[in-house]
Structure formats: C-alpha cells, structure tokens
Amino acid sequence: MLNFLRAIERLVLVTIFFAMVLLYSTGIVTREMGGTLAGDFAWVDEAVRLLNTALVFLALGLGLERGRHVGIDTLNRMIPDSLRFWVLKLIDLVGFLFSVYIAWLGYGLASFVFSTGQRSPTLGLETGWTYVVPTIGFLLLGLRFALSLLGVIDRDVALKVGVEQT
Amino acid sequence: MVILVVLALALLLLGFEMFLVLGVTSLAVKAIFFGTLPDIVIMQKVFGGINHATLLAIPFFILAAQLMGAGQIARNLINLAYALVGHTRGGMGHTAIAGSVAFGSVSGSAPATVAAMGAIVYPEMRKSGFGERFSLGLLVSSAESALLIPPSITLIVYGWMTGTSIAQLFAAGIAVGAVLALAFAIMVSIQARRDGIPAGSAPKWRERWMALRKAFWALGMPVIILGGIYSGIFTATEAAAVSVIYAMLVELIVYRELRPSDLVRITEEAAVSTSVVFVLLAMGSLISYFVTLAQVPGTISDFLTAVDAGPITFLIAVNVLFLVAGMFIDPNSALLILVPSLFPIAVGFGVDPVHFGMIVTLNICVGMITPPFGLDIFVAASTLRKPVISVVAGVWPFVVVNLLVLGIISYVPDISLFVPRLLY
C-alpha cells in the first residue's frame, strides 16, 4: 500500500515538474512572438505558480521519508541510544500533530474560500482548490510522521543516508 | 519572548527538522501573544509565503543543476578549469577554486558544490602535494562561492524577501565572488610555496583547445543565464526555465550522457529538493510575519538610535549576529529569520539593498563553514569519509580570510556596486 502511494506521489511530482518547465517555456516563446498569441497565454504564469505550490506540498512526505529535510542532528547523535529513541519518537509525535493541525487549518480555509465562490484571475479556477493541495500535502507529511512513530518506516536510517546524499 | 527563543533552540538542538522548529515556534508565538488573531492567517502565510513568481526561479535552477551534475556539463567545466590553471604552482588548488566557481555558476548550491568537487578534486590535490587539512579546508571554503556567483539560490531568496532586483544582486555577486576566489587563490599560492609544490608543465594549446571544445556547450549555460538576463531578453525566472530546457537538450542529445529514464529520476529528486527549500520559505514567512507583528525591527532600530549607533556599528552588529546564527542554522533559515528585522534598519542607515545583500550572503558563507554546525563541514566529512575534526582544523585559516573579505566588502560598498552600476 505504501509502495503504491510512493509510486503515485513520484508520478504526480514528475508530471507537475515537466508541466511547469513546458508551460513556462511556452509562455516565453509566445511572448517573444508577440501579438495576440502572448495574450492567449497570460494564464501560464498563474498556472505555473500553482503547480509549483502543488509540487512543494505534495513532495513533503517523500522528503521526510528520505531524510531530506534540513535539521541539525549533531547533538542528537551524541545522546545515548536508549534516550535517543525517545527523542526521535517525540520529534515524530510533534511533527504528526503539527502536520495534522496545519492540514486542518488548510481544510478550514479551503471550505471558507469555496463558500465565497472566489475564482482565480486568469485561470478562472475556484480559489478553494489552491488550499486543498497544501491540505493533502500536510496529510501526506503527517502520515509519514505517524508511520515513523509506529515504527513502520525507519527515519533514522533515512537520515543517515540523507546526510550522505546531501 | 526569551522562553520562545529557548524553545526554538531546544527543538533545534534536539534534532527537530528546521521547518518544524520554525513552524512550532510560530504556533507558540501566536498562541501566547496573538491569541485573538484568526487561525486562518497561519495557512494564508504558509501558502502565500511561497506563491510568488520570483521564487519560480528556484525549482528551475535546482532541476537544471541536478541535470548538469548528473551529466557532463559540470565535469567538462571542471576539466576546462584544470586545462587553464592546473599547470601553475599549486595548480590543483587553483583548479579546486576555479572548478567550484564554475560548478557554483551552474548549481547555485554550496553543499552540492562541496559534494561534487570533493570527490573529483580532493584525491588529485593530495597527489599533487597539498596536506590533508589544507585540501579539505580549501574544498569546503571555495564551494561558498556558489552562494555568491549567479544563480545563487540565497540571492534569489534575499531578493524576494526585500524586493531587491535579482539581476542586480547577481551582478554584484559576480564581483564579490571573484574577490573571495582571488583571496583563496593567494592562499593557495602561499601554501604551495610553503609545501614546495612545483609548477607543472603547461598543457599544449591543442589540449587547452580540446578542453574548451568539450566545454563549449557547458559554457553556453552561464551565457544563457547571465547573457539572457543582462541583455533584457529574460527575467531571472525565465532564464532558469530556459536553462532547464538547455541542460536537457545538451545532456540528452549533444553529450548523450543521460537517458530519458535518468531524466525522470533526476526530476523526482529535484522535486524533493525544491520541497525541502520551499517548506523552509513557507515556515520562514510565517515566523517573519510574527516577528513583524511583534515590532522586533522597530525595537532594534529604537535601541540602535538610543545608543547613537551609526551605520558602521550597525554593520558590525549585523556581521556578529549572522556569524552566530550561521553556526546554528542553514542559510535560508538565517535569511528568513534575520533579514525582515535588519533590512529596514539597514535601509534607514542608508545602506544600499544590493550591498546589504552581499554582506548578508558573505556572512552566511562564513556560517556554512564554521563549527559547530556549519553544514558544509559535515557534507565534506561525509562525502570524503574524513573525521569532522580534520575538516574543522583545515577550515579555520579560510574562515579568517573569509572574515577579512567580509570586512572589506562591508566597508567598501563600491566593490559590490561596481558591476550593477556598470550594467544599469
């Protein structure tokens, strides 16, 4: 199940990134060509900005699982193993609560904006959708913290690998 | 407020991820001091903090850098550096500096430069006669040029936060990066004489020509980035997008180093790297909001006025503050926490925003290589499998030189402003 989720996340991230590059480059080309064509592609800037926020939030969980988020663990590694185990669990617990709280705020904001019927200026997209993506992103992050808390994934190993890959 | 600083430091030292340190501290500040503020503001700041067109340059430059690092472009630039300066006295040291500048000019990331250059250049430096400590120190320190040389991610973030022209910051970064590289080159020459490292035989012009030919497409990258921006064809963000297309085409079609399957893997990695940078920006935006609400910049400004501090005292205070912060937190976090408070005061004292950007970035350079928490020290130790203590011992002389350069740049604004004035 977790492997399936990872595969979906990877597919979505790569598709979003390629779409960003393609759309932004097309926007530049149409602008250089000038005329009415440039006006027809005015939505590109907004679309790429939104895709970028989606890319950022949807990659949060994968980043955590791979030990890629920046942190200072020099002192943490000096703590005796028995105590360190509980410190890591504390980090997972706080991370989980934080992620779920932010996701809950995201849900509240999305619901509120949907109720106003507000739409984005150039894409005409319901603005509420823009807050749905971070909500999903923080839920994915919270899921990783929860899995680490329950010992399903080992973030400690990922952190060591992450340092070597930095 | 003291309790919150202690909370943030405790979370940091316990090993919490930096975005959690910033995020949890922000929530605590809101709960304690701004309880009446609607919770919805938090999400607005987190989302709004990264929903800016200027910041789009970052994911594109990250992707371009990872494509070039995995392919041939970066390697060909380093080979060209060797062909040009490798034969001089202490040539491998000069190659390390020139290679770091070249790799930094396509990657924008100091840790990435340390990792890439270290594996290639360190064994060669040792073979050429340089000691372990000096080699480690030089590799770690010269990689800091990536924070100054365009397309520096640190400069993009600073420009976005302060509304300073990124093109002008890039222009200033070229000059300041060159001064830093020159200072390290002088150190290399002195050390080479001390160690009795002779000059090598100069490569034949044919060999240089071959290296230049191989690096032809690689050299196109800085031309696109800088040429495009300063000729007015592209904005910084557009140059970043074009650099991705260029890197893909060169690596896939010209060098044929990467396959389409590699492209997918690299893009996925770049997406995660982008997320890592942006979640810090999002949380930094949140904490900056509360710092502003708490009127921290005004309080500092009032204090400086009360003690009758002038611009020079202010810049000394800035340097000390950033040096201490840079030892504990990564560059983007230091920027996000300190710049919102210090920038308005700097402008109030008449410090040019571009000049201030250079001072801030140079401070971060020092922080990145300063114990106990300088990130690049650990990247070098991990990449080269050397004890952290050896890297720290090697880095100290370079920290001193870096501080000297910082002093010069701080009090001679013309060095930072010369190139931007020339171009604008």
Side-chain angles (χ1 to χ4, degrees):
Chain A
M1 189 65 185
L2 194 58
N3 281 337
F4 179 70
L5 177 68
R6 286 182 190 127
I8 297 285
E9 281 174 312
R10 293 164 66 187
L11 179 70
V12 169
L13 293 177
V14 171
T15 308
I16 289 175
F17 220 148
F18 280 147
M20 283 168 61
V21 174
L22 206 67
L23 280 174
Y24 212 81
S25 309
T26 310
I28 299 167
V29 172
T30 54
R31 193 203 60 204
E32 287 302 313
M33 286 168 74
T36 55
L37 196 63
D40 293 341
F41 281 82
W43 52 271
V44 163
D45 206 52
E46 188 187 335
V48 176
R49 266 193 296 115
L50 293 178
L51 284 172
N52 184 48
T53 54
L55 184 87
V56 169
F57 291 117
L58 296 179
L60 284 176
L62 270 184
L64 187 79
E65 201 176 290
R66 294 179 184 179
R68 295 289 307 279
H69 287 288
V70 180
I72 306 293
D73 64 350
T74 315
L75 288 188
N76 181 304
R77 294 198 175 280
M78 292 174 185
I79 305 171
D81 280 353
S82 54
L83 182 62
R84 191 160 172 272
F85 173 83
W86 292 108
V87 171
L88 292 177
K89 292 297 169 198
L90 175 70
I91 296 173
D92 286 336
L93 179 65
V94 173
F96 171 72
L97 293 174
F98 175 80
S99 308
V100 171
Y101 178 64
I102 299 288
W104 178 71
L105 291 180
Y107 170 75
L109 186 57
S111 307
F112 171 73
V113 178
F114 272 126
S115 72
T116 64
Q118 198 181 327
R119 288 185 176 274
S120 67
T122 56
L123 282 173
L125 184 78
E126 273 204 85
T127 313
W129 286 110
T130 57
Y131 296 106
V132 170
V133 177
T135 306
I136 297 170
F138 277 101
L139 284 176
L140 289 170
L141 182 66
L143 173 72
R144 270 26 184 258
F145 274 121
L147 291 174
S148 176
L149 184 65
L150 298 172
V152 179
I153 56 173
D154 188 353
R155 290 212 301 125
D156 200 21
V157 172
L159 280 170
K160 283 174 191 161
V161 175
V163 167
E164 278 162 21
Q165 284 178 345
T166 308
Chain B
M1 212 60 177
V2 175
I3 297 168
L4 292 168
V5 174
V6 172
L7 170 73
L9 271 177
L11 296 178
L12 187 77
L13 296 179
L14 278 174
F16 276 68
E17 276 79 6
M18 187 60 76
F19 77 87
L20 275 181
V21 175
L22 298 175
V24 171
T25 309
S26 299
L27 294 188
V29 170
K30 188 201 167 290
I32 298 169
F33 299 106
F34 304 103
T36 53
L37 213 62
D39 288 343
I40 227 159
V41 166
I42 294 170
M43 195 61 200
Q44 278 177 332
K45 289 294 157 194
V46 167
F47 181 82
I50 59 169
N51 188 21
H52 286 271
T54 313
L55 293 177
L56 284 177
I58 296 175
F60 291 140
F61 277 134
I62 286 176
L63 179 54
Q66 297 209 354
L67 286 166
M68 290 180 280
Q72 275 287 331
I73 292 180
R75 225 169 302 157
N76 285 341
L77 284 173
I78 294 169
N79 289 342
L80 177 64
Y82 181 72
L84 294 176
V85 296
H87 64 283
T88 56
R89 186 188 284 271
M92 273 320 295
H94 294 300
T95 304
I97 298 166
S100 291
V101 169
F103 191 83
S105 75
V106 295
S107 79
S109 158
T113 306
V114 173
M117 289 295 299
I120 302 168
V121 177
Y122 176 77
E124 298 301 323
M125 276 192 76
R126 295 288 286 120
K127 264 189 240 165
S128 74
F130 283 107
E132 179 183 89
R133 287 181 176 182
F134 185 84
S135 305
L136 289 170
L138 179 68
L139 280 166
V140 172
S141 311
S142 56
E144 297 317 303
S145 57
L147 297 182
L148 291 157
I149 303 281
S152 156
I153 290 170
T154 308
L155 290 181
I156 296 173
V157 173
Y158 174 86
W160 159 68
M161 291 187 76
T162 60
T164 310
S165 156
I166 290 171
Q168 290 199 28
L169 287 168
F170 278 2
I174 296 171
V176 177
V179 171
L180 192 64
L182 181 68
F184 290 154
I186 293 169
M187 280 186 81
V188 166
S189 297
I190 293 169
Q191 188 68 32
R193 280 181 196 282
R194 224 185 254 173
D195 290 348
I197 299 169
S201 53
K204 291 181 181 135
W205 280 105
R206 187 181 151 70
E207 287 166 16
R208 284 181 180 166
W209 173 243
M210 287 299 287
L212 186 64
R213 259 185 63 182
K214 275 193 174 173
F216 175 79
W217 291 101
L219 288 169
M221 186 56 82
V223 170
I224 286 177
I225 295 172
L226 299 178
I229 293 172
Y230 297 118
S231 62
I233 299 172
F234 303 136
T235 63
T237 309
E238 288 171 346
V242 172
S243 73
V244 172
I245 300 280
Y246 183 81
M248 277 185 190
L249 292 177
V250 170
E251 296 293 2
L252 284 173
I253 297 169
V254 180
Y255 291 142
R256 297 184 185 182
E257 180 77 7
L258 299 179
R259 289 167 300 173
S261 58
D262 296 322
L263 213 59
V264 172
R265 180 183 50 79
I266 292 164
T267 306
E268 184 197 324
E269 263 308 303
V272 173
S273 301
T274 301
S275 178
V276 168
V277 174
F278 272 72
V279 73
L280 277 176
L281 297 181
M283 294 305 158
S285 167
L286 185 61
I287 206 161
S288 300
Y289 173 68
F290 288 117
V291 163
T292 311
L293 273 189
Q295 297 183 323
V296 174
T299 311
I300 300 173
S301 183
D302 289 347
F303 170 75
L304 289 171
T305 312
V307 298
D308 205 18
I312 291 179
T313 314
F314 168 69
L315 288 181
I316 291 172
V318 167
N319 289 339
V320 172
L321 204 58
F322 267 99
L323 288 176
V324 174
M327 290 179 195
F328 290 87
I329 51 182
D330 78 299
N332 289 332
S333 309
L335 272 180
L336 292 163
I337 295 167
L338 297 176
V339 166
S341 305
L342 299 174
F343 182 75
I345 305 167
V347 173
F349 275 124
V351 180
D352 187 283
V354 173
H355 179 216
F356 190 63
M358 293 301 113
I359 294 170
V360 165
T361 309
L362 263 174
N363 270 300
I364 287 169
C365 288
V366 179
M368 291 282 281
I369 60 170
T370 314
F373 296 112
L375 181 63
D376 286 351
I377 290 173
F378 298 100
V379 175
S382 166
T383 309
L384 301 169
R385 305 200 183 285
K386 295 286 171 195
V388 169
I389 195 75
S390 301
V391 185
V392 171
V395 148
W396 275 117
F398 294 93
V399 171
V400 173
V401 170
N402 218 323
L403 287 172
L404 279 174
V405 172
L406 174 61
I408 295 167
I409 296 299
S410 295
Y411 304 110
V412 187
D414 287 342
I415 299 173
S416 304
L417 301 176
F418 168 69
V419 182
R421 278 179 192 149
L422 210 64
L423 292 167
Y424 293 95

